[in-house]
Amino acid sequence: MLNQETRSTIAQQIFDCFTHRRQIPLLTQSHPEIEVEDAYRIQEQVISRFQADGRQVKGYKIGLTSEVMQQMAGTTEPDYSSVLDHMFVESGSCLKCDDFSDPLIEIEIAFVMKQTLKGPGITEADVAAATDYILPSIELVDFRVARAPGMDVRDTIADLAAVGCVSLGSQPKRLDEVELGAIRGDLIINGSVQESGAAAAVLGNPLTAVAWLANKLSEFGIAFEAGDVAFSGSFVRAIPVQAGDSVIARFDSGLGDVSLQFD
């Protein structure tokens, strides 16, 4: 377990990485005594620093939703992070790769809440009742804690679960209009399909992922509020992007496309 001073120092280092793009070494190597609770407390402090600058939490993301990724990260459950308002970018935006440290692209289903959802004890039915609609989304994954052999969930949690930015589609669907687990999506880069998958790859059902997230948030006194966006986890492998790339996330079930360009 880390002391409060060490947590604060690490949080400041990660916060500074968002501005200076200088990655820091694995926390599990520089601070081998770090625990999962330390990592979440560091994450809280990074978020608090953004809030002190006027940023607001607009949603939450879940990561490590596949068993393979959990095994690689040395954990038996997903991780999560808050997503701040300035991390939301419009579909069709052109982003500069130099604004990120190590950008990769994922695609997933986003849930927009119509009412408060607070754990513990949240079920998939509770999530469905609290959801206003779903949207297709792109998540740009980025790493302030540099990827290296030995990286595990403690490194990613402290690093805001590696969120860089997110982009939402513009064709909402109610849950009763789609078969959620059967939704398929393609990740298309420069006109070529790089990854394809189905939403059921996310813990068997994205509703399960959001229920887990609601219950996990409750451990830290947090609840989903109306208007919050829950990113339920990628159902394809993350693909690196570079300057000049054109990215499209193409979903079936009437959800449409989300796109980003990179300079």
Side-chain angles (χ1 to χ4, degrees):
M1 182 71 75
L2 303 179
N3 61 43
Q4 182 57 35
E5 181 180 357
T6 302
R7 288 179 183 173
S8 181
T9 298
I10 295 170
Q12 187 63 50
Q13 290 172 340
I14 293 172
F15 179 73
D16 289 343
C17 289
F18 281 90
T19 301
H20 303 302
R21 312 301 172 200
R22 289 193 295 269
Q23 292 177 300
I24 63 175
L26 292 182
L27 302 177
T28 46
Q29 292 182 359
S30 54
H31 302 279
E33 71 277 24
I34 188 172
E35 298 182 2
V36 168
E37 182 180 346
D38 290 316
Y40 276 119
R41 296 305 178 188
I42 290 166
Q43 183 191 122
E44 285 182 341
Q45 290 192 34
V46 176
I47 296 297
S48 293
R49 283 164 168 77
F50 277 113
Q51 291 174 316
D53 282 348
R55 302 302 186 185
Q56 296 181 330
V57 173
K58 189 175 178 180
Y60 301 89
K61 65 151 288 185
I62 182 172
L64 303 177
T65 51
S66 73
E67 185 176 349
V68 171
M69 291 302 296
Q70 289 172 17
Q71 289 173 350
M72 289 176 60
T75 183
T76 58
E77 67 175 16
D79 65 357
Y80 85 87
S81 175
S82 301
V83 183
L84 295 146
D85 53 359
H86 72 287
M87 295 175 174
F88 284 74
V89 299
E90 293 289 334
S91 177
S93 294
C94 186
L95 306 179
K96 293 185 179 298
C97 281
D98 287 347
D99 288 340
F100 303 94
S101 299
D102 184 12
L104 299 90
I105 290 291
E106 298 179 335
I107 65 174
E108 54 199 283
I109 302 297
F111 290 67
V112 180
M113 298 297 150
K114 63 183 176 183
Q115 63 192 48
T116 299
L117 184 67
K118 182 177 176 60
I122 294 298
T123 66
E124 294 175 4
D126 296 323
V127 174
T131 299
D132 194 1
Y133 52 87
I134 61 170
L135 288 168
S137 70
I138 288 174
E139 181 186 348
L140 186 148
V141 175
D142 197 23
F143 294 87
R144 279 66 56 175
V145 177
R147 289 189 290 163
M151 171 177 263
D152 75 19
V153 68
R154 295 168 293 171
D155 297 293
T156 59
I157 290 170
D159 191 16
L160 276 58
V163 64
C165 69
V166 292
S167 185
L168 297 171
S170 59
Q171 299 185 43
K173 290 290 183 181
R174 296 190 311 272
L175 289 178
D176 62 3
E177 296 180 300
V178 296
E179 184 179 347
L180 189 58
I183 294 172
R184 296 194 61 85
D186 295 329
L187 174 54
I188 305 167
I189 299 180
N190 301 327
S192 176
V193 176
Q194 298 296 311
E195 289 286 323
S196 297
V202 179
L203 298 183
N205 188 328
L207 284 171
T208 305
V210 178
W212 176 90
L213 181 54
N215 289 321
K216 190 67 177 181
L217 288 172
S218 72
E219 295 178 15
F220 297 88
I222 302 170
F224 284 120
E225 303 295 344
D228 281 348
V229 183
F231 294 89
S232 58
S234 180
F235 49 86
V236 300
R237 180 173 59 97
I239 300 293
V241 288
Q242 59 188 359
D245 282 346
S246 173
V247 174
I248 298 173
R250 177 157 293 155
F251 293 77
D252 65 10
S253 304
L255 288 165
D257 293 357
V258 192
S259 65
L260 292 173
Q261 305 289 324
F262 291 89
D263 278 346

